[in-house]
Amino acid sequence: MKEINVLEGKVVAKKGMKAAIVAARFNEIIVNKLLGGAVDGLVRHGVEEENITAAWVPGAFEIPLVAERLAKSGKYDAVICVGAVIRGDTSHYDYVCNEVSKGIATVGLQTGVPVLFGVVTTENIEQAIARAGSKAGNKGYDCALSAIEMVNLLNQIDA
Ligand SMILES: Nc1c(NC[C@H](O)[C@H](O)[C@H](O)CO)[nH]c(=O)[nH]c1=O
Ligand SMILES: CC(=O)[C@@H](O)COP(=O)(O)O
């Protein structure tokens, strides 16, 4: 059988790649770890620190609007969104999670800019800690690598 054509983005940043990170301040102790993981992942895979911009928002619910503004600015190759939504005593958690995930996905589809979902949505603080640089890894770091891969993949498709 003939070899098929495969498109796959390498996890090595193109020269001059610019990344924006939207960070939600709610549960800041967790989000700082996610932000640090995202920066670490970007730098370790070739993005220059001067080409990384972080924007703080009050909470995860505000992420999509700022992600959209950054994506539409044309200044960034990818937008990484980090936050920590931890269930409380009411249904507020569900509304926040639903709108944040839907909003972030919509920004990517509407702008064509890779927008990565690095918001941890957990039942308790222990689960959030585990996903912010301990036994379950760091969602911010994971999103950084996915951002680089997506930028390279889309460039391949457009070439
Ligand atoms: N409970 C959490 C929130 N709630 C705040 C909202 O995200 C939003 O800022 C507020 O409703 C005003 O619009 N945000 C988180 O990021 N994490 C939470 O656990
Ligand atoms: C995810 C939330 O919005 C949550 O922390 C709010 O807590 P509560 O449901 O107890 O008001």
Side-chain angles (χ1 to χ4, degrees):
M1 183 169 73
K2 285 190 174 179
E3 290 284 312
I4 62 169
N5 302 304
V6 176
L7 297 172
E8 186 176 14
K10 294 192 183 307
V11 189
V12 177
K14 71 170 187 173
K15 185 167 176 53
M17 176 181 165
K18 288 184 170 55
I21 306 171
V22 186
R25 198 175 297 111
F26 212 103
N27 294 317
E28 192 173 355
I29 191 171
I30 301 293
V31 180
N32 272 323
K33 292 289 188 182
L34 295 172
L35 176 59
V39 172
D40 187 37
L42 290 169
V43 172
R44 282 175 182 267
H45 293 80
V47 180
E48 296 172 56
E49 288 180 344
E50 65 195 36
N51 289 333
I52 301 172
T53 301
W56 284 99
V57 295
F61 193 83
E62 284 74 41
I63 288 175
L65 174 59
V66 174
E68 180 190 56
R69 197 64 62 88
L70 291 165
K72 284 184 173 178
S73 73
K75 298 176 184 175
Y76 307 100
D77 297 293
V79 179
I80 296 165
C81 303
V82 292
V85 187
I86 303 173
R87 188 179 293 277
D89 300 330
T90 73
S91 59
H92 194 239
Y93 168 90
D94 301 298
Y95 290 99
V96 171
C97 291
N98 289 338
E99 290 308 311
V100 171
S101 55
K102 183 172 62 180
I104 288 172
T106 301
V107 171
L109 289 170
Q110 289 187 343
T111 64
V113 174
V115 182
L116 287 300
F117 184 67
V119 179
V120 296
T121 54
T122 65
E123 297 300 318
N124 53 55
I125 187 79
E126 292 79 12
Q127 290 178 348
I129 292 169
R131 290 154 181 79
S134 65
K135 63 182 181 181
N138 187 306
K139 289 297 178 198
Y141 185 92
D142 297 344
C143 281
L145 275 56
S146 296
I148 293 168
E149 181 176 353
M150 282 300 292
V151 168
N152 291 335
L153 173 60
L154 295 182
N155 285 342
Q156 280 183 41
I157 293 169
D158 294 344

